[in-house]
């Protein structure tokens, strides 16, 4: 059972009506016990469903199991997560916000087929797609540790290459999951299928576009298996969706020294994004073993951001969370499978502490 649609079918086969189905799904995604809620299950749920709940909860918990937690100095943490079939993925708890909540970066695939040259995730290609329930299970797992009120689909994989599952997960998170639509961020290298389907959903997430160069040939070299849309075509499609939703498109730009940090790219960005409903995030490259890319100096990156802001382009220079534990942008990967005798020493980290249940109000 890897998809939310399969879970819904199971619940209905056990006699669940829409209200019963919503309760079970809401409590799962909110990381609360199925015995929670205003109404006792003995008088609310059908008998067949009540009897099946313990096994169902165990099956849902097995979708994403925390193998190890790697806390960073900035308050973020890399989660190494085992899937039911033995594959492993990673997600990242982002530094908590001032109001006490925080964000989570989730994966949508085991591996990635895009093969960005500066990214660890795609070096071994694509192993398989994640089901929508496996995507949501990462949120439920994280919520057992801390509050999560924002989810960014920027972990392992290209969400547009697993569109059905990603959109199904977004729909649940933006409804029963209690996450505001603008706090769900769909990240893509640019795919016409995504631009067509995102506006049709009842939950419309914010959009992040991985651009990385305004030069079509340079971008094609850096992202060898991304769709061959020009930068101008990508920005036009992304902005059209942004204006329809009211959330500016977030243009993502990994800064690579001597490659896309020059004055030519400053001019290209100033022309490409002029007047667009967009903001630019400059993200200095995070080190990946075996790759020769380097990040520019902070002074150079800051100068680029100042130049673009001076040209009227809303630009932010970002520090990737969790760089000291390989949790930054481009550093996630499917690590060694779980060994029968325990974890390899390089993966041992903080022990998994008992779950902290995050309270949710107005549950059925």
């Amino acid at each position: 059972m890897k998809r939310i649609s399969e879970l819904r079918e199971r619940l209905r086969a056990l006699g669940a009506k829409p209200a019963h189905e919503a309760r079970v799904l809401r409590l799962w995604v909110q990381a609360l016990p199925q015995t929670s809620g205003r109404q006792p299950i003995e008088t609310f749920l059908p008998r067949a469903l009540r009897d099946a709940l313990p096994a169902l909860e165990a099956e849902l918990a097995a979708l994403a199991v925390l193998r190890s937690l790697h806390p960073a100095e900035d308050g973020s943490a890399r989660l190494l997560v085992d899937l039911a079939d033995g594959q492993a993925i990673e997600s990242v708890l982002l530094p908590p916000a001032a109001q006490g909540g925080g964000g989570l970066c989730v994966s949508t695939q085991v591996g990635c087929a895009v093969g960005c040259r500066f990214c660890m995730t795609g070096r071994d290609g694509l192993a398989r797609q994640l089901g929508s329930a496996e995507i949501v299970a990462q949120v439920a797992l994280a919520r057992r540790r801390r509050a999560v009120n924002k989810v960014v689909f920027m972990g392992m994989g290209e969400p547009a290459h697993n569109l059905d599952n990603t959109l199904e997960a977004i729909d649940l998170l933006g409804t029963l999951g209690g996450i505001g639509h603008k706090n769900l961020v769909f990240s893509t290298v640019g795919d016409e299928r995504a631009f067509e389907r995102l506006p049709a959903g009842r939950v419309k997430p914010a959009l992040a576009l991985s651009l990385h160069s305004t030069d079509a040939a340079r971008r094609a070299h850096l992202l060898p298996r991304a769709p061959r849309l020009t930068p101008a075509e990508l920005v036009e499609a992304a902005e059209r969706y942004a204006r329809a939703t009211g959330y500016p498109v977030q243009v993502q730009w990994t800064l690579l020294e001597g490659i896309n940090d020059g004055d030519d790219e400053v001019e290209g960005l100033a022309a490409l994004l002029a007047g667009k409903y967009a903001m630019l995030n400059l993200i200095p490259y995070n080190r990946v073993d075996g790759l020769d890319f380097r990040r520019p100096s902070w002074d150079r990156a800051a100068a680029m951001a100042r130049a673009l802001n001076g040209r009227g382009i809303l630009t932010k220079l970002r520090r990737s969370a969790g760089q000291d534990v390989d949790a930054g942008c481009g550093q996630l990967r499917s690590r060694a499978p779980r060994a029968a005798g325990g974890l390899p020493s390089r993966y041992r980290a903080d022990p998994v502490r008992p779950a902290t249940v995050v309270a949710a109000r107005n549950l059925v």
Side-chain angles (χ1 to χ4, degrees):
M1 181 183 63
K2 296 178 181 177
R3 295 200 59 174
I4 295 164
S5 57
E6 296 169 351
L7 175 55
R8 290 183 184 276
E9 289 173 6
R10 285 268 296 276
L11 294 173
R12 292 165 190 169
L14 291 165
K17 302 300 182 186
H20 307 138
E21 182 181 316
R23 172 181 168 138
V24 172
L25 292 172
R26 184 186 294 115
L27 291 172
W28 168 51
V29 72
Q30 296 282 2
L32 293 170
Q34 289 295 327
T35 53
S36 303
R38 293 178 300 181
Q39 300 186 49
I41 61 173
E42 292 79 11
T43 59
F44 185 72
L45 295 182
R47 175 67 180 270
L49 179 53
R50 292 201 310 271
D51 292 344
L53 272 181
L56 187 61
E57 282 192 278
E59 190 173 346
L60 290 173
L63 287 172
V65 177
L66 183 61
R67 187 200 303 180
S68 60
L69 178 81
H70 303 257
E73 293 182 358
D74 60 8
S76 63
R78 174 168 59 83
L79 280 61
L80 179 56
V81 177
D82 286 317
L83 305 176
D85 64 354
Q87 296 278 6
I89 57 171
E90 294 189 310
S91 50
V92 179
L93 278 165
L94 303 174
Q99 65 270 28
L104 178 71
C105 178
V106 298
S107 295
T108 56
Q109 297 178 305
V110 181
C112 184
V114 176
C116 300
R117 298 187 185 277
F118 48 84
C119 180
M120 171 62 82
T121 303
R123 293 184 69 179
D124 295 325
L126 176 66
R128 73 167 175 88
Q129 310 282 20
L130 291 186
S132 55
E134 292 176 307
I135 298 172
V136 171
Q138 296 171 68
V139 180
L141 177 65
R143 278 178 160 171
R144 292 200 288 270
R145 304 197 67 83
R146 68 167 72 151
V148 172
N149 52 28
K150 181 173 184 177
V151 176
V152 298
F153 295 79
M154 299 181 181
M156 295 168 55
E158 164 56 44
H161 290 177
N162 189 16
L163 203 50
D164 288 346
N165 284 298
T166 302
L167 293 182
E168 192 171 50
I170 285 172
D171 182 82
L172 184 63
L173 292 171
T175 52
L176 299 176
I179 298 176
H181 297 192
K182 69 178 180 180
N183 286 330
L184 296 164
V185 184
F186 182 100
S187 178
T188 180
V189 296
D191 191 298
E192 289 177 309
R193 294 167 296 180
F195 296 139
E196 289 170 0
R197 290 189 57 185
L198 282 171
R202 63 173 173 172
V203 176
K204 295 176 175 58
L207 178 64
L209 174 65
S210 295
L211 191 60
H212 308 303
S213 181
T214 61
D215 180 272
R218 182 181 295 159
R219 187 175 190 271
H221 174 73
L222 291 173
L223 285 65
R225 290 186 288 279
R228 288 297 174 256
L229 298 172
T230 68
E233 290 170 333
L234 289 168
V235 170
E236 180 183 356
E239 194 210 17
R240 187 162 55 246
Y241 174 76
R243 291 195 180 278
T245 60
Y247 318 137
V249 59
Q250 303 171 33
V251 178
Q252 309 292 88
W253 191 280
T254 298
L255 278 172
L256 305 167
E257 184 182 50
I259 297 175
N260 65 353
D261 64 339
D263 292 340
D264 60 329
E265 293 285 21
V266 171
E267 294 300 319
L269 283 165
L272 184 63
L273 300 182
K276 297 295 192 294
Y277 190 40
M279 61 177 293
L280 174 66
N281 290 319
L282 298 179
I283 307 164
Y285 167 73
N286 293 311
R287 181 187 59 81
V288 172
D289 290 342
L291 299 184
D292 294 329
F293 295 105
R294 294 182 300 180
R295 60 169 54 187
S297 70
W298 189 258
D299 287 346
R300 171 56 196 155
M304 187 173 179
R306 283 194 302 271
L308 286 163
N309 277 307
R311 301 283 291 272
I313 307 302
L314 178 59
T315 304
K316 295 186 178 181
L317 180 56
R318 303 286 191 181
R319 294 184 186 271
S320 289
Q323 298 172 49
D324 54 324
V325 293
D326 291 343
C329 296
Q331 293 182 312
L332 303 186
R333 61 187 183 272
S334 183
R335 299 173 194 262
R338 180 176 49 213
L343 298 179
S345 60
R346 66 178 294 191
Y347 295 130
R348 293 191 187 117
D350 277 10
V352 179
R353 297 187 296 271
T356 299
V357 175
V358 179
R361 292 179 292 180
N362 299 323
L363 299 178
V364 174

